[in-house]
């Protein structure tokens, strides 16, 4: 049998990884947490200037909050909307510094691989009795750690999708990488010189792209020579407007209202549905070629490109673990039917926990946004309930693990996907007790 005195390994120091640490600490189970960045919440700091649309009350794990309050921590206004930086500085960091948490955290530690000690993926006999072996690089030195269980909460942020059509890099995309920003640059702050008075293309149809465009529109007001272009793969731009006034999260609904107003202002050029095939340099700047409604179209004289086409999970690090993933979404298999944007757009997800997150590899779990694979519809609160259930199961509290509850605000959008004519993905028959429809963007 695996020595249960070995720690549970948590991969990733974002909100869901920290929530896992909170629940393990509360149950007095040893843990070790690996974060590749030099700070807890490192990925959040890369978009620290962005204000999220979900208020604090949806962003703080209940067990983490309990531990923080016991230490004298002052909670933020639950109805306030934090920025990425505020989440890190006012929540993640104070929590990570708690005496019960800090000793288990290893920063600047990149996980290279996870597997069973001494066994490759093919070996079955005695597999469940071997500890997990986690290979990391720490302070430029390769080290190995053993664990009784593994929770992979590494997310997808550092694995952006390319802008090319078909999910692959467009011809010339990698060669012109210095002119492409994958993420949400601080265009009104530290990056303003890169974008002011430039011809800019924003690629993507989700909230990240909308945030970038709205910020660029403010730059355009100050610097009228700034040109804005929006490339989407949607059949119609109106598909990204979301629930607007019907959205239970006011800030999220407001994004749809604001972007519709910007589109109607005529201050940006819309290309949709546009599929990028090729990029190359000319004397006038970058030229983008692609397919627009079945015809070849070019966008010329481009200076900078901002890519917000979603992300995908890093599966290389868990290649020697026996996983069960959906072939299309690369999500945990049993979650696919709940989150597949081909089936429904509202982001409805019924309560799910340890049972749905199991893999053939005993005591290995993918949690947080990585559990959704390439699907874009994820909220922190979903991840918090995932790890609560998983940790309860690992602790032998099977009743608590089964009792999964999830209460999320409605998007105000509910469209059935192809093949579901007349059906409602968000109807009462598809939403179990304790759940309200939503996740983040149904329009990515």
């Amino acid at each position: 049998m695996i020595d249960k005195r070995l720690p549970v390994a948590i991969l990733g120091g974002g909100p869901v990884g920290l929530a896992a640490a909170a629940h393990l600490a509360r149950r007095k189970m040893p843990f070790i947490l690996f974060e590749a960045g030099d700070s807890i919440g490192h990925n959040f700091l890369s978009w620290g200037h962005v204000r999220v649309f979900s208020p604090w009350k949806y962003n703080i794990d209940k067990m983490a909050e309990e531990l923080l309050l016991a230490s004298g921590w002052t909670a933020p206004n639950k109805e306030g909307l934090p920025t990425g930086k505020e989440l890190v500085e006012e929540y993640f960091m104070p929590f990570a510094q708690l005496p019960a948490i800090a000793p288990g955290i290893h920063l600047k530690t990149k996980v290279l691989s996870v597997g069973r000690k001494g066994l490759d993926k093919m070996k079955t006999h005695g597999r469940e009795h071997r500890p997990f072996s986690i290979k990391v690089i720490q302070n430029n030195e390769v080290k190995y750690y053993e664990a009784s269980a593994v929770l992979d909460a590494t997310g997808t942020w550092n694995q952006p999708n390319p802008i090319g059509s078909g999910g692959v890099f467009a011809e010339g995309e990698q060669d012109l990488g210095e002119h492409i920003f994958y993420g949400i640059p601080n265009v009104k702050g530290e990056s303003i010189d890169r974008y002011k008075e430039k011809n800019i293309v924003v690629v993507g149809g989700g909230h990240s792209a909308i945030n970038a465009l709205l910020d660029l529109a403010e730059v355009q007001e100050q610097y009228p020579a700034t040109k804005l272009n929006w490339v989407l793969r949607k059949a119609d731009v109106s598909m990204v407007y979301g629930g607007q006034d019907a959205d239970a999260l006011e800030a999220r609904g407001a994004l749809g209202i604001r972007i519709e107003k910007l589109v109607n202002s005529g201050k940006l050029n819309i290309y949709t549905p546009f599929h990028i095939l090729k990029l190359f340099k000319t004397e006038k700047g970058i030229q983008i070629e692609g397919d627009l409604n079945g015809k070849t179209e070019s966008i010329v004289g481009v200076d900078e490109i901002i890519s917000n086409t979603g992300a995908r999970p890093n599966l290389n690090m868990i290649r020697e673990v026996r996983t069960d993933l959906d072939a299309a979404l690369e999500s945990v298999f049993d979650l696919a039917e709940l989150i597949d944007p081909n089936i429904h757009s509202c982001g409805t997800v019924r309560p799910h926990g340890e049972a749905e997150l199991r893999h053939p590899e005993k005591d290995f779990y993918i949690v947080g946004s990585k559990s959704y694979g390439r699907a874009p519809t994820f909220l922190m609160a979903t991840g918090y309930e995932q790890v609560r259930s998983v940790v309860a199961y690992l602790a032998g509290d099977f009743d608590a693990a089964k009792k999964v509850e999830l209460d999320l605000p409605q998007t105000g959008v509910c469209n059935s996907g192809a093949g579901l004519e007349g059906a409602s993905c968000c109807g009462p028959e598809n939403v179990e007790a304790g759940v309200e429809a939503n996740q983040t963007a149904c329009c990515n």
Side-chain angles (χ1 to χ4, degrees), residues 4 35 45 82 132-133 149 213 235 250 254 278 303 373 381 424:
K4 291 300 182 180
E35 165 56 46
L45 293 176
F132 287 95
S133 178
L213 284 163
E250 182 179 350
K278 184 178 181 179
D303 297 303
S424 171

Side-chain angles (χ1 to χ4, degrees), residues 116 127-128 321-325 333 357-364:
R116 292 286 185 177
R127 189 173 191 85
E128 294 183 1
V321 176
R322 295 181 175 183
T323 57
D324 189 11
L325 302 175
F333 185 83
L357 295 169
R358 289 179 196 171
H359 289 276
E361 195 75 70
K362 188 177 185 301
D363 296 335
F364 173 83

Side-chain angles (χ1 to χ4, degrees), residues 224-244:
T226 306
K227 296 180 181 179
L228 303 182
N229 307 275
W230 192 7
V231 168
L232 308 93
R233 297 168 186 163
K234 301 292 184 184
D236 189 278
V237 68
S238 64
M239 296 174 68
V240 308
Y241 296 158
Q244 300 193 346

